Amino acid sequence: MKIKYWLMISYFLVMLLPVLALYFLYVSISEYDAKNDLLDYMKISHKMAELEPLLQDASLYKIQSFQNYKAISEKTDSAIKITLYRYDGVKLYTSIGDLPSTGPSDREEIFKNLNEIKQKHLTYSVKKPVFHQNKLTGIYEITIARDNWMKNVNDRTTLLFSLFGTFFIILYIVIVILLNRKLNRPLNILQTEMTAFANGEKSKQKFRQSNDEIGELITHFKWMKIEIEKNQTAVLKEQKEKEFIVASLSHDLKTPLTVIRAYTESLHSGKKLDEKIRQEYTLIIFEKLDYMKKMLDDLSTYTVLQSSEQKPELVEVDGEEFFEMLLSGYEEPCSKKGINLHVQSKINGIYDVNPKHMMRITDNLMANAIRYTESNAHIWLGTISKNSPLPKWIFPPFRTDLEKSRANCTMLLIQNEGEHIPKEQQKNIFKPFVQAESARGPGGSSGLGLSIAKMLIEQHNGKIKLMSEDGYGTLVACLIQER
């Protein structure tokens, strides 16, 4: 339940429950009073009936000595008051209060409510006439205090307020406990968890998931925590990659720099070198400089691709024309090494690509294939649209996997004969500076070519797969989404 609704209901209950409790206590005590009132009435009526024979004596209703009322005085106490009036309203006797007065009283007030038992809050009273020989002689009034009833009222009032106070305290404690459970405890746990997370500590607190605002806050905190930890892991991984790149780059630059220094010192040492040796030394120096330049260019490209979140600008190209151009120009480097190159393209339709990036991908993959292919071996380069069958030159172990992967995709395929890449190395082959030691040195790779190719093809919403099998060679497939 949402906290705002929970607080509204709680506030309503806190306001309503004490009123209901007070009402039910009042009703229950009123019912109890009604029952006791009947018993009290019957008891007092019986007491009055006992006194009436004594008070019906007509001789008592004339002015006389106070001693003549001794019998009445013996029947009274602090809870019973008896007052006698003569027929003309003169007060003759009262057991409690003023002495008898010979002056007339208010006759109208005296004769009011005769023969009627009057119930007041503190007393019961009755006034009755006395006749002698069918003539009114006097009037007596009996007033009996409701001592027991008052005691019961006071006890019940005390009980009422005690029960109400107890109920209010219990209600207050329950509300405090619920508030602590609903608000304070989750907020304290969340605060502890946030402090621990900010300090890099692991908290052992367990969240109680709820559907209220605090539950939503906890869910957002968990999501934020996961995202921050994920970002921290990514930053740490990126930092380690950068450290590894710097270390690898330093290692790869050290060798050509040493060679350049050695040959430069030889050229400037003053020793007599024939022109052929000088040209050879100069050629080696330029090769090393070209290698270093390529390595730095690749590093710059890799850094830009890794830090950039912008997608490449794609242009619309004719597939047949573009991919035919893309696959051309590799005959010369292959022929220099004595490699047999086979090119095949089966493409039609329109594509959205970045031509510069696609050329970089193909150059990197072909350079890698040429580097690891021996003289007189074969390299196959091809592009196949989704509706075209796989070329027959695809090695048998790779055909099934390619058929499963090619759905709605055009494939750029580079396959070469040569030593296979072990399974444990295939997982890391697209990571920076992961390469065979034989690739280092003259004509070697910067170690970033495959990583750059992977990032560029992924920016085209494509994928890159590498398959290698002992006894056959290696195949790299770039899957490009078709329109």
Side-chain angles (χ1 to χ4, degrees), residues 302 305 360-361 364-365 427-432 448-465 476 478:
Y302 177 81
L305 290 174
R360 184 65 180 269
I361 292 168
N364 287 1
L365 296 178
K427 300 177 184 177
N428 302 319
I429 199 67
F430 291 104
K431 292 183 179 179
L448 294 171
L450 290 179
S451 299
I452 292 172
K454 181 176 184 293
M455 286 191 285
L456 290 176
I457 200 67
E458 286 177 349
Q459 286 190 349
H460 284 74
N461 295 321
K463 295 180 181 179
I464 189 167
K465 293 174 66 69
V476 178
C478 294

Side-chain angles (χ1 to χ4, degrees), residues 302-314:
Y302 177 81
T303 304
V304 170
L305 290 174
Q306 191 179 44
S307 59
S308 177
E309 294 182 356
Q310 294 183 353
K311 292 197 172 185
E313 183 179 351
L314 305 180

Side-chain angles (χ1 to χ4, degrees), residues 364-376:
N364 287 1
L365 296 178
M366 278 300 296
N368 199 65
I370 293 171
R371 188 177 305 113
Y372 288 101
T373 304
E374 299 292 337
S375 178
N376 296 321

Side-chain angles (χ1 to χ4, degrees), residues 312-331:
E313 183 179 351
L314 305 180
V315 297
E316 185 180 279
V317 297
D318 178 76
E320 184 177 1
E321 181 180 345
F322 173 76
F323 283 104
E324 185 177 344
M325 178 274 298
L326 186 67
L327 304 185
S328 63
Y330 298 106
E331 290 81 3

Side-chain angles (χ1 to χ4, degrees), residues 327 342-346 380-384 389-393:
L327 304 185
H342 308 275
V343 180
Q344 180 181 0
S345 180
K346 294 183 179 180
W380 292 270
L381 175 61
T383 50
I384 310 297
L390 289 178
K392 295 180 180 180
W393 45 260

Side-chain angles (χ1 to χ4, degrees), residues 150-424:
M150 283 301 300
K151 182 177 180 303
N152 291 334
V153 168
N154 292 333
D155 292 343
R156 287 191 295 276
T157 302
T158 303
L159 177 63
L160 172 64
F161 282 103
S162 298
L163 290 175
F164 180 74
T166 302
F167 174 80
F168 187 81
I169 292 172
I170 293 173
L171 180 63
Y172 178 77
I173 293 173
V174 170
I175 292 298
V176 169
I177 292 173
L178 291 177
L179 281 174
N180 181 66
R181 183 180 178 185
K182 188 77 173 175
L183 294 174
N184 296 341
R185 190 188 303 171
L187 288 175
N188 289 335
I189 293 175
L190 180 59
Q191 182 180 5
T192 303
E193 183 73 12
M194 293 176 71
T195 303
F197 180 67
N199 295 331
E201 303 171 356
K202 288 188 177 181
S203 176
K204 296 181 180 179
Q205 299 281 354
K206 290 186 178 180
F207 289 115
R208 182 180 63 85
Q209 193 62 39
S210 57
N211 296 323
D212 53 21
E213 290 86 348
I214 294 181
E216 293 176 358
L217 183 62
I218 291 173
T219 301
H220 283 290
F221 171 71
K222 288 180 177 179
W223 175 82
M224 180 194 70
K225 182 179 177 182
I226 291 171
E227 288 298 315
I228 291 177
E229 289 175 344
K230 188 187 297 181
N231 291 336
Q232 288 176 343
T233 303
V235 169
L236 183 60
K237 181 181 178 182
E238 185 177 342
Q239 182 64 28
K240 289 182 178 179
E241 286 181 356
K242 289 180 179 179
E243 293 174 358
F244 176 72
I245 289 172
V246 171
S248 300
L249 186 64
S250 300
H251 177 271
D252 287 349
L253 289 176
K254 184 177 181 181
T255 301
L257 284 172
T258 302
V259 173
I260 291 172
R261 180 182 178 85
Y263 283 104
T264 304
E265 288 177 350
S266 297
L267 291 172
H268 292 81
S269 64
K271 294 180 181 181
K272 292 184 178 181
L273 300 173
D274 58 34
E275 189 62 27
K276 184 177 180 181
I277 294 177
R278 283 181 173 276
Q279 289 180 356
E280 183 181 348
Y281 284 5
T282 304
L283 181 61
I284 292 173
I285 290 173
F286 278 112
E287 285 179 352
K288 295 299 181 181
L289 289 173
D290 287 340
Y291 169 68
M292 293 171 61
K293 182 178 181 300
K294 185 177 185 305
M295 179 177 290
L296 292 175
D297 287 342
D298 284 348
L299 179 62
S300 176
T301 302
Y302 177 81
T303 304
V304 170
L305 290 174
Q306 191 179 44
S307 59
S308 177
E309 294 182 356
Q310 294 183 353
K311 292 197 172 185
E313 183 179 351
L314 305 180
V315 297
E316 185 180 279
V317 297
D318 178 76
E320 184 177 1
E321 181 180 345
F322 173 76
F323 283 104
E324 185 177 344
M325 178 274 298
L326 186 67
L327 304 185
S328 63
Y330 298 106
E331 290 81 3
E332 184 178 350
C334 287
S335 63
K336 281 184 178 181
K337 197 174 178 182
I339 297 172
N340 299 305
L341 177 64
H342 308 275
V343 180
Q344 180 181 0
S345 180
K346 294 183 179 180
I347 295 292
N348 53 60
I350 303 299
Y351 289 80
D352 293 322
V353 297
N354 185 297
K356 183 179 178 181
H357 287 181
M358 290 302 299
M359 292 173 65
R360 184 65 180 269
I361 292 168
T362 309
D363 286 346
N364 287 1
L365 296 178
M366 278 300 296
N368 199 65
I370 293 171
R371 188 177 305 113
Y372 288 101
T373 304
E374 299 292 337
S375 178
N376 296 321
H378 297 267
I379 291 179
W380 292 270
L381 175 61
T383 50
I384 310 297
S385 62
K386 66 178 181 180
N387 296 322
S388 301
L390 289 178
K392 295 180 180 180
W393 45 260
I394 298 293
F395 294 149
F398 307 148
R399 300 187 69 88
T400 302
D401 196 4
L402 282 179
E403 287 289 0
K404 292 180 180 178
S405 305
R406 66 180 302 199
N408 297 321
C409 291
T410 289
M411 291 192 296
L412 169 63
L413 303 171
I414 297 102
Q415 179 180 267
N416 70 298
E417 292 180 327
E419 293 186 10
H420 81 291
I421 302 173
K423 294 288 185 183
E424 59 273 11

